Amino acid sequence: AQSVSQHNHHVILSEAASLELGCNYSYGGTVNLFWYVQYPGQHLQLLLKYFSGDPLVKGIKGFEAEFIKSKFSFNLRKPSVQWSDTAEYFCAVQYTGTASKLTFGTGTRLQVTL
Amino acid sequence: DTAVSQTPKYLVTQMGNDKSIKCEQNLGHDTMYWYKQDSKKFLKIMFSYNNKELIINETVPNRFSPKSPDKAHLNLHINSLELGDSAVYFCASSPPTGAFTEAFFGQGTRLTVV
């Protein structure tokens, strides 16, 4: 079955700390990969996406993610977090032939303290 | 201009009632979705329509019935509401398959069944 795992459920960091959130997906052929962010009380917004090409993708607000095909991983990173990064982060995978549906991970709640 | 808009934003209703949530997108996309986010923030697809045609119907009780009068609208009707239906329901849309299939999400509808 197609599934996406996010290992960290709740992460607490101080401002300026570095961030890495893990995401692994089950094998299912060609995939498109996404990270979405949900700020408190708001809708999902796209942070970044990977379809093909350079496996290191840069997104908005200083976030980046690296696709490692051999590890079925797409980890999200940011060198220095800010208080305003406090949010829920979702990894999502689109498997080929699934009519564009997104399979989401369980989400990681990031709390950044001052 | 709101790209994907849902109404209402909040919906509180009693068990057994029938309710509808409306969704409209002005992005010119062909594909629209309904996702459900439960109390643990887990997101799961419910339905997807492409040009008014149902293409994804996950394991959802038949009390839930999507309706797409045209490709810019996808409404969700729920009969005989149950306590377990309480969740946030997100509408989304995406361009035609084959193009970049990033999904754009609405603000969500928080449904509370009492």
Side-chain angles (χ1 to χ4, degrees):
Chain A
Q2 295 159 350
S3 65
V4 180
S5 302
Q6 289 181 242
H7 322 294
N8 318 101
H9 297 293
H10 188 190
V11 173
I12 303 173
L13 293 173
S14 300
E15 265 205 328
S18 65
L19 169 73
E20 179 158 4
L21 300 181
C23 173
N24 286 87
Y25 63 93
S26 61
Y27 174 74
T30 306
V31 294
N32 295 327
L33 300 158
F34 306 83
W35 276 97
Y36 281 87
V37 61
Q38 186 178 26
Y39 297 104
Q42 297 203 14
H43 66 293
L44 288 144
Q45 300 172 43
L46 184 70
L47 269 181
L48 46 79
K49 60 194 175 192
Y50 173 81
F51 288 83
S52 63
D54 188 343
L56 185 61
V57 292
K58 294 193 184 299
I60 60 171
K61 305 187 181 190
F63 286 91
E64 65 178 33
E66 185 175 12
F67 171 48
I68 303 180
K69 191 174 180 180
S70 60
K71 293 185 178 180
F72 304 104
S73 70
F74 189 56
N75 292 354
L76 180 71
R77 300 195 290 250
K78 185 171 183 178
S80 175
V81 295
Q82 299 173 306
W83 180 79
S84 58
D85 293 326
T86 294
E88 196 90 21
Y89 291 80
F90 294 92
C91 179
V93 178
Q94 227 167 37
Y95 291 88
T96 307
T98 61
S100 305
K101 82 172 187 182
L102 290 167
T103 300
F104 282 90
T106 48
T108 296
R109 182 176 169 225
L110 172 64
Q111 191 176 343
V112 180
T113 60
L114 295 170
Chain B
D1 284 342
T2 305
V4 182
S5 59
Q6 297 177 228
T7 53
K9 192 171 179 181
Y10 299 98
L11 182 55
V12 181
T13 187
Q14 290 187 325
M15 274 197 307
N17 283 350
D18 303 338
K19 291 291 177 187
S20 292
I21 307 171
K22 296 186 176 181
C23 178
E24 176 182 6
Q25 54 95 3
N26 62 7
L27 297 165
H29 290 165
D30 289 343
T31 308
M32 295 185 72
Y33 313 80
W34 279 109
Y35 284 84
K36 179 181 179 181
Q37 186 176 44
D38 63 23
S39 58
K40 295 184 179 178
K41 301 279 190 177
F42 183 60
L43 274 151
K44 194 170 188 315
I45 192 164
M46 299 173 70
F47 301 104
S48 175
Y49 269 73
N50 183 267
N51 269 324
K52 302 193 295 175
E53 184 182 340
L54 180 67
I55 55 171
I56 294 176
N57 185 352
E58 295 288 293
T59 310
V60 177
N62 57 16
R63 298 182 294 103
F64 290 78
S65 52
K67 287 195 170 46
S68 182
D70 55 60
K71 74 173 194 178
H73 295 85
L74 180 61
N75 303 324
L76 184 64
H77 188 76
I78 315 168
N79 288 328
S80 303
L81 278 154
E82 300 177 357
L83 291 176
D85 297 331
S86 295
V88 182
Y89 292 85
F90 286 99
C91 178
S93 71
S94 66
T97 305
F100 286 111
T101 49
E102 165 193 342
F104 294 78
F105 285 81
Q107 296 276 0
T109 296
R110 183 174 292 278
L111 170 66
T112 303
V113 183
V114 297

